[in-house]
Amino acid sequence: MAQLFEQSKKVVEAHLAGTSVRAIAGSMIAYEGNVQFKAAGFGGGDGVLAGLKRRATGEKLSLMECGGHGRVFFAVNGQHVSVVNLNGETLQVESQQLLAFAGNLRTDVRFAGLRGASTGAGLFTTTVTGQGQVALLSAGGPLIHLEVSPQYPLVVDPDAFVAAQGNLNQSFVTDVSWRTMVGQDAGEAFSLRWEGQGVVLIQPAER
């Protein structure tokens, strides 16, 4: 299985030994060795159904596959990177925050619920399930890990949400008076509420 490493705060390095990784098209900034690149299709080659769901929801995830022997380096617009390990779990993530993934992983689209707001975040969520590693992007600085427990549910701004991992349920909070207090009254009158046991990853900047 290919391995992903945080080569620096803003670059992910993939080690290939006859293996392959999938990454966002256009994110490769350098490579060395005998590496081949090809399009991974619409939705990461996970079948017609996933592709149709992405077309219907606008969650377009254009991927490339990098295979062979060598090292490949990935980055996007100077954003910070983090590598998350999955051991059979499911990671819920905003598609635009995905950078690369390696291992026996499957991507899909999950319906997250209805909401009435101008932003496209939070309606449909990309899921990554299986055994392997996922490299995530975050704007404004490194990812912030927030623990969620049954006693302490968490409410986050949908534009700051990056990913969630664990036994978590998502719902929408529509009475968000704090947005008016901070001058964010552009019709995005909802937030994401997470309940259960797990971790929610947010970025210190809004999309």
Side-chain angles (χ1 to χ4, degrees):
M1 183 166 57
Q3 295 292 314
L4 299 178
F5 301 92
E6 296 173 14
Q7 200 271 346
S8 72
K9 293 180 180 179
K10 299 182 179 182
V11 177
V12 162
E13 177 180 341
H15 288 189
L16 306 179
T19 50
S20 65
V21 299
R22 285 180 285 172
I24 298 301
S27 61
M28 189 276 291
I29 58 172
Y31 76 93
E32 61 182 24
N34 183 17
V35 181
Q36 295 80 42
F37 301 87
K38 65 179 181 180
F42 190 69
D46 290 316
V48 175
L49 180 58
L52 289 175
K53 284 192 287 186
R54 292 190 186 282
R55 290 183 193 276
T57 63
E59 284 275 297
K60 296 180 180 178
L61 189 61
S62 180
L63 298 172
M64 61 180 178
E65 183 175 320
C66 316
H69 294 79
R71 298 192 300 168
V72 187
F73 303 87
F74 304 101
V76 174
N77 297 329
Q79 295 188 68
H80 285 250
V81 297
S82 300
V83 175
V84 175
N85 295 310
L86 293 182
N87 187 23
E89 308 101 329
T90 295
L91 184 73
Q92 303 178 55
V93 58
E94 287 293 331
S95 61
Q96 59 190 302
Q97 307 303 134
L98 270 174
L99 175 57
F101 42 98
N104 185 21
L105 297 172
R106 182 178 65 86
T107 61
D108 205 344
V109 177
R110 174 180 295 172
F111 179 65
L114 295 173
R115 55 89 180 104
S118 59
T119 178
L123 180 58
F124 287 87
T125 302
T126 296
T127 61
V128 185
T129 306
Q131 182 91 28
Q133 296 174 295
V134 182
L136 301 174
L137 295 165
S138 62
L143 282 174
I144 300 167
H145 295 63
L146 300 176
E147 297 284 342
V148 181
S149 67
Q151 296 81 13
Y152 296 100
L154 178 70
V155 176
V156 302
D157 186 323
D159 287 330
F161 171 73
V162 172
Q165 184 176 8
N167 185 21
L168 295 172
N169 295 314
Q170 177 194 308
S171 60
F172 292 90
V173 180
T174 56
D175 182 18
V176 192
S177 58
W178 60 265
R179 282 190 176 276
T180 303
M181 299 298 294
V182 296
Q184 298 183 24
D185 54 356
E188 300 174 354
F190 81 103
S191 284
L192 303 177
R193 179 183 175 94
W194 296 91
E195 297 177 277
Q197 190 79 45
V199 178
V200 172
L201 310 178
I202 64 172
Q203 61 182 5
E206 292 190 330
R207 281 181 290 274

